[in-house]
Amino acid sequence: MSSSALSRPDLDEASPTVSPLGAPSPAAVASAEALESFRATKHKSLNFGLGVDSTALLLAIIKDPTAFGIAEDFSDFSIVTAMTGFEFPDTITDVENHVLPLLREKGIRYTQVARGGRLDSAGTAVLSDTTNPGKVFSRGPWTLMDELEENGTVPQYAGGHRCSQKHKAWTIDRLQLDRSGGQTVGKLFGYNADELKRAAKANRFQAVRNKKAGYETFALDYPLLRLGWDRNDVQGYVKDRLGIDMSKSYCPVCPFSGVCSPQPDHMKRLRKYPELAARVLRLEYLSMALNDNSSLYKDDTLFRRVTEDQNAEALGRFNARLDEEPWAVYRLQRAYTSGRRPGCHAAHGDRCSRPECRDSSIKGTVYRSVKTVRTGSRAEVAAFLHNAATALGRPVEQSTKSHGAGIDRVRTRIRTDSRVFGTVEDFYVSAPAGVQHKARAGFADVWAEMTVGQ
């Protein structure tokens, strides 16, 4: 695309703030007021996600910083990246070869940060903070995959981008709030014109944060929305400026990869990096061993897609992982409490223990406990599970229904209908080792109450 798009005027303040379908319009999300609020801040930054969208915005800023309300010498501006620890290598290579040299040339401050540990109390770890960056630090002390593998689960599809909030948004916000000394920080996002809903959601979240803090913690702005640049525009702009077809940045384990990148492109990328694919396949297998319904995608498995794609290299490495690494027998206990009837919240407030207010057709809280019973090689663990099944007088279920590689379980309490709540399940399963012992707060009391007399 032509760089003349940079000269396009801001969106008309008088344009409708709601589309005919009821969705927020670009004028409502990237308003003139938001732009002025951003320009008024002393500390301005770009959330740099390493991918094509935020790169396009960064290139446009470098070309004409004052058009974005940034000082010509970049003295009031910095960029920051939160590292999840699980990026595609070509993303890192593109940034190191094509973006970092521009930052060095202009003397733009670039900070790379990551979570300091599993708990928020561990704070953030600054991996690099310099105006002369030469390397992208791909991981910090605690990564997204560390967390997922320890919990034995894939990212949750329901509830949106929770892993992104924890490993990206929280980390950057914590860093910038610590630096700002209570002043409002101007923050640019590279959401393109196809991502209006993401920007609207970010604005709603920020409004809640501001209300809680008692002041405007961050002034958000979305220049690509104001310019009307869609995905094709940003890809074309980056190609014109850098001479490369830059990919969108996303984690190989992202359950939204069909959105972040078209599935054919994602499958092609997994062919390029079969070891990454194998690691995600291993996580999905582990997750589904603990919960049949916990596949990577909402209604599909990565295993099926990779198999359909005939990615023999990734499947071979996945199977080798299963054969070579330590295994465990886990005991899984879940208590599915029934939910509160309509009207209970209004009548009895946030908490109510009245049995008559519960409805077994409504899902309540799910309490889970996972314990490691035995570790060893895959063969040793399989033998232990079969011996346990004999001792318990229960069969070993050897099923490929949910996962094509097959999962072995021994059930001692069976939940016969997934639509009925106020029930429990209890089973032993063999899977790769590494899941940490964990029980939801209150699990022991809930389990005892729901199984009394059984």
Side-chain angles (χ1 to χ4, degrees):
M1 64 175 284
S2 170
S3 60
S4 62
L6 282 173
S7 63
R8 291 170 57 179
D10 290 343
L11 294 169
D12 186 351
E13 293 182 57
S15 62
T17 58
V18 179
S19 74
L21 296 177
S25 72
V29 176
S31 65
E33 290 80 5
L35 175 60
E36 290 306 311
S37 183
F38 170 81
R39 288 174 182 265
T41 60
K42 294 182 179 180
H43 307 282
K44 302 175 178 68
S45 68
L46 167 65
N47 277 27
F48 182 51
L50 304 178
V52 64
D53 295 321
S54 54
T55 297
L57 178 54
L58 176 59
L59 293 174
I61 291 171
I62 290 175
K63 185 175 187 295
D64 186 4
T66 60
F68 297 88
I70 295 167
E72 190 169 1
D73 64 355
F74 304 101
S75 56
D76 61 351
F77 177 68
S78 65
I79 70 173
V80 59
T81 301
M83 299 301 179
T84 66
F86 201 45
E87 285 280 354
F88 281 103
D90 52 3
T91 293
I92 294 174
T93 298
D94 284 346
V95 172
E96 287 184 337
N97 291 343
H98 299 280
V99 178
L100 296 193
L102 298 176
L103 302 185
R104 294 196 296 269
E105 178 186 342
K106 298 295 183 179
I108 297 174
R109 183 181 184 182
Y110 180 35
T111 305
Q112 300 174 59
V113 66
R115 286 188 67 90
R118 173 166 46 88
L119 302 178
D120 288 355
S121 58
T124 60
V126 176
L127 310 177
S128 176
D129 183 18
T130 179
T131 57
N132 188 36
K135 177 182 179 181
V136 173
F137 291 81
S138 60
R139 63 162 293 154
W142 182 254
T143 73
L144 172 61
M145 284 297 282
D146 291 336
E147 180 171 330
L148 295 173
E149 288 169 339
E150 182 179 277
N151 291 337
T153 183
V154 294
Q156 300 303 297
Y157 191 92
H161 302 256
R162 292 183 180 179
C163 53
S164 180
Q165 285 294 323
K166 185 171 184 178
H167 284 265
K168 290 186 176 181
W170 180 90
T171 310
I172 291 177
D173 289 357
R174 178 74 172 266
L175 172 80
Q176 293 182 325
L177 288 172
D178 288 346
R179 285 178 172 177
S180 69
Q183 294 182 315
T184 302
V185 177
K187 186 181 291 190
L188 298 176
F189 289 89
Y191 296 158
N192 67 53
D194 299 324
E195 299 177 303
L196 182 60
K197 290 183 179 179
R198 290 186 68 189
K201 182 178 179 180
N203 279 351
R204 291 194 299 270
F205 178 72
Q206 186 57 45
V208 173
R209 294 193 59 191
N210 290 343
K211 183 177 181 180
K212 184 177 180 180
Y215 76 103
E216 188 179 31
T217 53
F218 296 101
L220 311 185
D221 192 30
Y222 313 94
L224 298 183
L225 286 177
R226 185 173 293 103
L227 292 169
W229 290 9
D230 60 17
R231 175 61 52 77
N232 289 331
D233 291 329
V234 298
Q235 288 178 327
Y237 187 72
V238 171
K239 180 67 177 288
D240 287 346
R241 294 293 305 278
L242 301 182
I244 61 170
D245 292 312
M246 195 173 195
S247 300
K248 188 171 178 65
S249 170
Y250 63 96
C251 295
V253 74
C254 183
F256 301 98
S257 59
V259 177
C260 297
S261 176
Q263 269 301 301
D265 292 347
H266 182 56
M267 290 295 105
K268 183 178 179 180
R269 226 169 178 187
L270 293 184
R271 282 179 168 272
K272 185 177 180 180
Y273 300 107
E275 190 57 41
L276 290 185
R279 188 175 180 187
V280 181
L281 286 167
R282 183 260 190 200
L283 177 67
E284 181 184 58
Y285 179 87
L286 174 61
S287 177
M288 294 185 70
L290 304 185
N291 184 346
D292 265 343
N293 298 317
S294 192
S295 56
L296 182 60
Y297 303 116
K298 186 177 181 180
D299 298 309
D300 200 4
T301 65
L302 177 66
F303 180 84
R304 190 202 64 78
R305 294 187 184 187
V306 172
T307 301
E308 185 179 73
D309 190 50
Q310 298 182 8
N311 189 343
E313 183 69 20
L315 293 170
R317 295 193 185 197
F318 163 62
N319 287 319
R321 273 178 169 265
L322 295 188
D323 288 336
E324 295 166 4
E325 66 180 69
W327 276 54
V329 171
Y330 300 103
R331 183 184 183 187
L332 265 292
Q333 297 167 283
R334 287 190 183 89
Y336 298 83
T337 66
S338 51
R340 296 167 65 179
R341 296 179 184 276
C344 176
H345 288 275
H348 304 136
D350 292 338
R351 294 181 179 274
C352 176
S353 58
R354 296 172 175 83
E356 63 270 21
C357 287
R358 298 287 169 171
D359 186 333
S360 62
S361 67
I362 300 174
K363 182 180 180 180
T365 302
V366 179
Y367 292 81
R368 184 188 90 156
S369 169
V370 56
K371 297 178 181 177
T372 299
V373 177
R374 173 69 184 269
T375 58
S377 68
R378 189 175 189 178
E380 290 169 340
V381 161
F384 179 87
L385 188 67
H386 279 75
N387 290 338
T390 300
L392 293 168
R394 299 279 185 172
V396 176
E397 297 178 9
Q398 297 175 308
S399 173
T400 58
K401 182 178 179 180
S402 60
H403 194 288
I407 296 170
D408 292 353
R409 292 191 184 91
V410 176
R411 299 184 185 273
T412 57
R413 285 187 173 90
I414 301 173
R415 186 168 177 246
T416 56
D417 190 339
S418 62
R419 298 167 297 179
V420 176
F421 303 96
T423 58
V424 301
E425 67 175 345
D426 190 355
F427 63 86
Y428 297 86
V429 63
S430 58
V435 177
Q436 299 301 299
H437 168 67
K438 189 176 183 180
R440 183 171 187 149
F443 166 81
D445 292 338
V446 172
W447 183 265
E449 180 181 345
M450 293 181 68
T451 59
V452 62
Q454 295 183 12

